[in-house]
């Protein structure tokens, strides 16, 4: 089995002559929390879209667990165990918190395609759904309509529905975006908690979050890899500080 759960080789994406992702060689180790960071326009979201097949690379290759997936379909990627969350919370607001998690669990049962069935047929998924809600500290909200949840709790619910699909690799796209300090702290600890036994690749702007939980950091700038390493290594890298703040002195500490 490959040491790297996800690997890209010379991954490139051009849009009418503009190179958004430029020969990116990414190596995500199994079991790590790996952060993808960079200034606005660095190519982070485009890179995520390439990895989850929402975009097709102009050139280069993508490997998952040692097998090439460059031309696989998004549905094939999900079946292999690569599950992505998005910047905007993607939950069903008019369903209960429990019902949202059950929808994620239906993927493994085939019941997701049988919309004519009574929802009582899904009651056998309740125990597993409650277990997942416990993992993200939401079991007390199980019967609450999702629309009534605070924003940070909605992001926690999204992580629960992602876990319901039994990912080998979770791709989290700015999981703390738009949150207040208390929610950021809660979700940061939640990501650390659910990372046990799985791999996480995350795009995140909040450097305080990155410093607390990332095992490895890849810094993108203008579509290319600028630096890579631990938080201590990249935060002191003069090229990284220049890209983020236009300075080569000090540290990256606390930059968003």
């Amino acid at each position: 089995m490959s040491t790297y759960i996800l690997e890209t080789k010379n991954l490139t994406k051009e849009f009418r002559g503009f190179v958004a992702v430029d020969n990116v060689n990414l190596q995500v180790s199994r079991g790590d929390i790996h952060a993808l960071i960079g200034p606005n326009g660095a190519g982070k979201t485009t890179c995520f879209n390439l990895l989850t097949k929402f975009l097709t690379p102009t050139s280069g290759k993508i490997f998952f667990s040692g097998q090439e997936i460059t031309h696989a379909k998004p549905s094939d990627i999900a079946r292999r165990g690569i599950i992505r969350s998005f910047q905007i919370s993607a939950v069903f607001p008019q369903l209960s918190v429990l019902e949202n998690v059950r929808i994620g669990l239906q993927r493994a049962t085939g019941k997701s395609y049988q919309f004519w069935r009574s929802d009582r047929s899904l009651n056998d998924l309740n125990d597993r759904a409650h277990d997942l809600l416990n993992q993200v500290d939401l079991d007390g909200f199980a019967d609450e309509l999702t629309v009534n949840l605070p924003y940070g709790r909605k992001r926690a619910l999204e992580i629960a529905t992602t876990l319901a699909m039994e990912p080998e690799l979770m791709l989290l796209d700015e999981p703390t975006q738009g949150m207040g300090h208390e929610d950021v702290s809660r979700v940061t600890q939640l990501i650390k908690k659910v990372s046990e036994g799985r791999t996480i690749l995350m795009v995140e702007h909040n450097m305080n979050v990155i410093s607390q939980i990332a095992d490895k950091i890849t810094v993108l700038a203008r579509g290319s890899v600028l630096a890579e390493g631990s938080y201590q290594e990249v935060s002191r890298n003069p090229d990284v500080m220049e890209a983020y703040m236009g300075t080569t002195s000090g540290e990256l500490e606390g930059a968003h």
Side-chain angles (χ1 to χ4, degrees), residues 51-203:
L51 296 175
T52 50
K53 314 314 301 168
F54 287 88
L55 288 174
T56 302
T58 303
S59 60
K61 294 183 178 182
I62 305 168
F63 297 86
F64 179 64
S65 292
Q67 295 188 317
E68 187 176 354
I69 59 167
T70 312
H71 301 293
K73 297 176 182 177
S75 56
D76 295 333
I77 296 299
R79 274 192 288 272
R80 287 172 184 260
I82 303 175
I83 307 295
R84 174 186 181 174
S85 76
F86 292 83
Q87 286 182 6
I88 300 168
S89 185
V91 290
F92 296 98
Q94 297 305 323
L95 295 180
S96 73
V97 169
L98 182 72
E99 287 168 334
N100 267 279
V101 178
R102 285 197 318 201
I103 286 174
L105 290 169
Q106 286 175 58
R107 172 179 167 269
T109 68
K111 293 178 181 175
S112 52
Y113 304 107
Q114 299 170 358
F115 294 113
W116 61 87
R117 290 172 67 109
S118 165
D119 61 2
R120 287 192 296 275
S121 67
L122 302 177
N123 285 343
D124 58 339
L125 301 177
N126 283 353
D127 286 347
R128 176 66 178 139
H130 280 291
D131 178 55
L132 288 167
L133 290 176
N134 262 322
Q135 288 186 45
V136 299
D137 302 321
L138 281 180
D139 203 37
F141 296 84
D143 296 324
E144 184 72 56
L145 274 185
T146 300
V147 69
N148 297 329
L149 287 183
Y151 180 68
R153 298 284 190 181
K154 286 178 182 172
R155 297 314 299 261
L157 174 58
E158 186 177 322
I159 290 173
T161 58
T162 302
L163 290 174
M165 291 183 275
E166 300 183 354
E168 270 196 75
L169 174 64
M170 292 177 67
L171 276 66
L172 304 179
D173 196 354
E174 299 198 23
T176 69
Q177 184 182 48
M179 290 184 186
H181 177 74
E182 184 178 332
D183 281 338
V184 167
S185 179
R186 181 187 294 118
V187 171
T188 300
Q189 294 310 310
L190 173 59
I191 292 169
K192 182 70 173 175
K193 179 180 175 183
V194 303
S195 70
E196 295 178 12
R198 53 180 61 88
T199 308
I200 293 177
L201 176 63
M202 61 188 291
V203 167

